[in-house]
């Protein structure tokens, strides 16, 4: 990783300058306190080496990045047929919180598991005896794949989103009305808002990502934590829908499976080589970290990481 160590700190400083072009998400009030100028990155190789630079100690909530792993949990709990009878496999081309196509396009199931409507349905498919059991299972799974027993929910961010998440609430009621969501709406949202509020550092994201880069086998313990097929499904959605409706552009400019979140996190992988966690809370208009995307574009083009 010496080639990365040689440049990473300088490149982070250069990309950081772009943060002022973006804005921190404020629709979840608690996120508006995020450090606007911060940019951090942590890269973990499949051999277990690490390099990091910038504000990599910044704590942030996973937000939409968590949707990768709740999808994997639902697939492991229920199987492919059950999951994909309730959520589609196609990019929507709309904003992550859009409800437009739920009514416009038959059969009224969300286009994919990464837009909010799809992720809310996925939350309802996680096995468990009520929301408390499901939340405990989510935390347990996330701790296992991050190799970090102290991962936890950020209760202030959870509460802030739960108090103000009227749009997600309306999406959920719409899905209930359509017969896509069977459980109690508030119970499902309790699980959804909580998994969005799991707090991590870039190092945690990189560790979770390296598991995907290695096809589901923990490269450190050698233990298979996720079936290869489900890793393949998750990576495919990361390419087609992971950066919201900027996924096509990201695929051209960076060419790696990735998932972003409104807290400014990006989790990406170089298949078979690296897991990468980035945080840069200032977002562009499509909801992705301005400085983070810039840094990944540079890394990918300089080191020829694109899978295409
Ligand atoms: N894009 C995101 O990260 C969205 C997740 C956020 N919790 C929401 O539902 O709005």
């Amino acid at each position: 990783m010496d080639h990365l160590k040689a440049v990473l700190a300088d490149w982070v400083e250069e990309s950081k300058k772009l943060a002022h072009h973006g804005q921190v998400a404020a629709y979840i009030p608690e996120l508006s306190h995020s450090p606007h100028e911060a940019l951090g990155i942590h890269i973990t190789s499949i051999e277990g080496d690490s390099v990091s630079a910038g504000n990599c100690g910044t704590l942030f909530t996973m937000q939409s990045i968590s949707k990768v792993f709740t999808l994997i949990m639902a697939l492991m709990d229920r199987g492919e047929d059950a999951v994909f009878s309730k959520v589609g496999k196609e990019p929507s081309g709309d904003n992550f919180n859009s409800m437009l196509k739920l009514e416009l396009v038959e059969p009224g199931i969300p286009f994919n598991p990464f837009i909010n409507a799809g992720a809310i349905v996925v939350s309802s498919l996680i096995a468990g005896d009520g929301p408390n059991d499901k939340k405990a299972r989510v935390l347990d799974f996330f701790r296992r794949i991050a190799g970090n027993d102290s991962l936890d929910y950020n209760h202030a961010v959870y509460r802030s989103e739960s108090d103000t998440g009227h749009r997600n609430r309306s999406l959920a009621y719409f899905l209930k009305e359509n017969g896509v969501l069977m459980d109690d709406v508030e119970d499902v949202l309790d699980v959804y808002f909580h998994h969005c509020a799991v707090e991590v550092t870039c190092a945690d994201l990189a560790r979770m990502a390296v598991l995907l880069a290695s096809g589901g086998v923990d490269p450190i313990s050698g233990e298979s934590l996720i079936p290869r097929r489900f890793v393949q499904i998750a990576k495919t959605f990361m390419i087609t829908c992971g950066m919201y409706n900027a996924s096509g552009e990201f695929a051209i400019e960076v060419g790696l499976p990735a998932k972003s979140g409104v807290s400014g996190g990006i989790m990406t992988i170089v298949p078979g080589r690296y897991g990468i966690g980035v945080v840069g809370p200032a977002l562009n208009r499509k909801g992705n970290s301005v400085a983070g995307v810039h840094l990944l574009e540079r890394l990918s083009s300089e080191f020829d990481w694109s899978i295409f």
Side-chain angles (χ1 to χ4, degrees), residues 27 63-64 96 116 161 168 192 196 244 261-262:
Y27 76 98
Q63 299 300 336
S64 280
F96 63 85
N116 287 6
E161 181 164 22
N168 283 326
Y192 172 78
C196 286
Y244 317 121
V262 286

Side-chain angles (χ1 to χ4, degrees), residues 34-35 38-40 54-61 199-203 263 279-281:
S34 310
L39 178 63
N55 310 102
C56 45
T58 305
L59 283 165
F60 55 100
T61 49
E199 191 165 63
V200 292
T201 62
C202 290
S263 53
V279 64

